[in-house]
């Protein structure tokens, strides 16, 4: 348990380090270039535009698979982040890259349903996920993605995950 008078900078450093290790632990997230911006306990995922994401060069439009992967990654990271938040804040856990056992195990996807609402244009995309329900074994997450205007979603998804045990 941490001291209530722990310096804010130390708390922020622990939060940022935990998020960095969570994201860097998945090579596919790095390959897609997805980043996460943390404001307190809220995460916003950003998928910077890259030519490799284009599925239809005649429109051009981001490939549906890239959009689905972006949504799933945003949901998975949000769920993992929210599951470890209390332990992270209290100092009960402090993930360390040198100690792989200190890194949280990721939930496993049970099912994932995407609604494609409009074509993803050749520009950056953003996503935010919300944990709808999280129990000891099962969790449900809703995630939305947009580009220039949050009110004009390009896609949304519902995901169900099996939570890691132990």
């Amino acid at each position: 348990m941490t001291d209530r008078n722990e310096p804010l900078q130390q708390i922020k450093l622990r939060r940022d380090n935990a998020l960095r290790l969570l994201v860097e632990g998945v090579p596919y997230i790095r390959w897609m270039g997805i980043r996460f911006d943390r404001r307190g306990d809220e995460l916003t995922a950003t998928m910077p535009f890259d030519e490799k994401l284009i599925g239809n060069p005649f429109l051009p439009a981001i490939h549906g698979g890239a959009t689905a992967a972006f949504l799933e990654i945003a949901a998975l990271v949000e769920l993992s982040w929210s599951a470890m938040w209390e332990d992270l804040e209290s100092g009960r856990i402090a993930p360390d890259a040198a100690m792989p056992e200190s890194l949280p195990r990721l939930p496993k996807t049970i099912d994932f349903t995407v609604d494609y609402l409009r074509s993803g244009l050749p520009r950056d995309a953003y996503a935010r996920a919300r944990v709808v329900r999280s129990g000891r074994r099962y969790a449900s997450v809703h995630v939305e993605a947009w580009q220039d205007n949050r009110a004009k979603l390009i896609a949304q998804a519902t995901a169900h995950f099996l939570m890691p045990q132990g």
Side-chain angles (χ1 to χ4, degrees):
M1 202 77 140
T2 61
D3 179 9
R4 288 182 60 87
N5 295 322
E6 180 180 18
L8 180 60
Q9 205 51 35
Q10 191 173 336
I11 295 169
K12 286 182 176 182
L13 184 62
R14 188 170 58 243
R15 289 173 184 165
D16 291 342
N17 187 49
L19 180 59
R20 180 182 57 78
L21 291 172
L22 183 65
V23 171
E24 288 178 358
V26 182
Y28 190 60
I29 296 175
R30 288 194 316 264
W31 182 82
M32 288 194 63
I34 297 172
R35 299 184 313 262
F36 287 84
D37 180 39
R38 182 192 62 76
R39 299 285 184 250
D41 67 342
E42 183 177 80
L43 298 178
T44 301
T46 302
M47 182 173 68
F49 174 71
D50 189 309
E51 288 292 328
K52 69 184 176 193
L53 302 175
I54 293 294
N56 184 339
F58 298 107
L59 291 179
I62 294 176
H63 191 282
T67 300
F70 177 50
L71 290 166
E72 185 175 11
I73 288 166
L76 185 63
V77 170
E78 174 65 35
L79 178 59
S80 298
W81 182 249
S82 67
M84 66 187 252
W85 179 258
E86 283 186 29
D87 287 338
L88 185 65
E89 285 300 286
S90 69
R92 286 189 297 269
I93 64 168
D96 181 352
M99 297 174 21
E101 68 278 2
S102 73
L103 302 174
R105 290 184 24 233
L106 296 174
K108 305 284 187 225
T109 305
I110 296 171
D111 65 56
F112 192 77
T113 304
V114 179
D115 297 322
Y116 296 98
L117 305 172
R118 66 183 80 240
S119 292
L121 301 172
R123 55 186 68 143
D124 294 355
Y126 309 94
R128 280 213 184 124
R130 177 178 47 86
V131 177
V132 176
R133 178 195 182 282
S134 182
R136 286 185 13 226
R137 295 194 46 79
Y138 166 87
S140 177
V141 180
H142 178 78
V143 59
E144 298 176 338
W146 68 94
Q147 288 184 308
D148 298 326
N149 182 342
R150 181 143 189 211
K152 294 183 178 181
L153 300 179
I154 60 169
Q156 63 184 4
T158 300
H160 299 103
F161 295 96
L162 183 63
M163 298 301 288
Q165 301 302 301

